[in-house]
Amino acid sequence: MALYFSLILHGMSDLFFLSTGYLRASCMMESMELLNQSQVSEFILLGLTSSQDIEFLLFALFSVIYVVTVLGNLLIIVTVFKTPNLNTPMYFLLGNLSFVDMTLASFATPKMILNLLKKQKIISFAGCFTQIFLLHLLGGVEMVLLVSMAFDRYVAICKPLHYMTIMNKKVCVLLVVTSWLLGLLHSGLQIPFAVNLPFCGPNVVDSIFCDLPLVTKLACVDTYLVQIVIVANSGIISLSCFIILLISYSLILITIKNHSPTGQSKARSTLTAHITVVILFFGPCIFIYIWPFSNYSVDKFLAVFYTIITPILNPIIYTLRNKEMKISMKKLWRAFVNSRKDT
């Protein structure tokens, strides 16, 4: 388990410290020359389309998806922490994943939905970099949480006799805390580079929200090296987590071949849900941050998928494919209805 997270941590920190000195030296002279120029106080987001009719349709669609996402993930959280039968490591991690998904859906989506009704979509300088910080913080947390869930499934299937010993409560809490610390590290390594750049001219961001690759291009200095660090940083955590997940699930699939047909069916059902979420989550991340010359229209679609569609996949996939979760939700709903009747 320690090897899983040390690979991610060392890769990110080594890249940061190797590039810090050279970046500061190359950017400092240009930044000092532009220090006294007027600073950008706000950014203009171009959004998805210039058609008002399409924007009204997107407003209705995204509003419904956002409400379902929040309520669905909130229902999972309440069900997991209110049902004694779900007091297991897998559901503990699932509840935390739902909280991250709910927060990930809320960091930019409400403002984006409101912007669909506005002609000019403006966001303040502080608001823009707050979005960037939260995007990379929550994205990093979710990636490491997915690795933690893969580790949990690996122990449960490959080492069932030692499962409760290895995945005890302290280990589960440690996995969640580590996820937040690595997410904070991932976001914290990049934001200082971007926020200290001089923005004194262009302020139009061709997207639905602020993200580092697009915002840094608006700086008044050459940001080629800064963008390389940004892409490499996000690329390292994305690829590291994705490779670890592929290895984990490959080992699990090899192991379940020796299980009974019933055990294989149950394990495959669980793994299918996990692998589906992993592919749909990491696909847009890898394309945006590792693909060197992506198209802006494709980036916009992936940004929508990443922030609006992906967070709703957790309640849909994990709930519809999980009999235990569906039974627990029905019991919780009946208890709620009965309590309302009594009052």
Side-chain angles (χ1 to χ4, degrees), residues 327-340:
I327 292 171
S328 298
M329 285 183 172
K330 288 178 181 178
K331 288 181 179 179
L332 194 66
W333 175 252
R334 287 171 189 164
F336 174 75
V337 172
N338 291 334
S339 65
R340 297 286 293 179

Side-chain angles (χ1 to χ4, degrees), residues 13 16 30 89 121 143 168 172 174 176 179 183 206 216 237 260 295 302-303 317 340 342:
S13 58
F16 174 72
E30 293 178 79
K121 303 162 180 58
M143 288 179 189
N168 56 63
C172 292
L174 179 62
V176 173
S179 300
D206 190 11
T216 52
I237 190 172
S260 64
N295 184 278
L302 292 175
I317 293 174
R340 297 286 293 179
D342 293 338

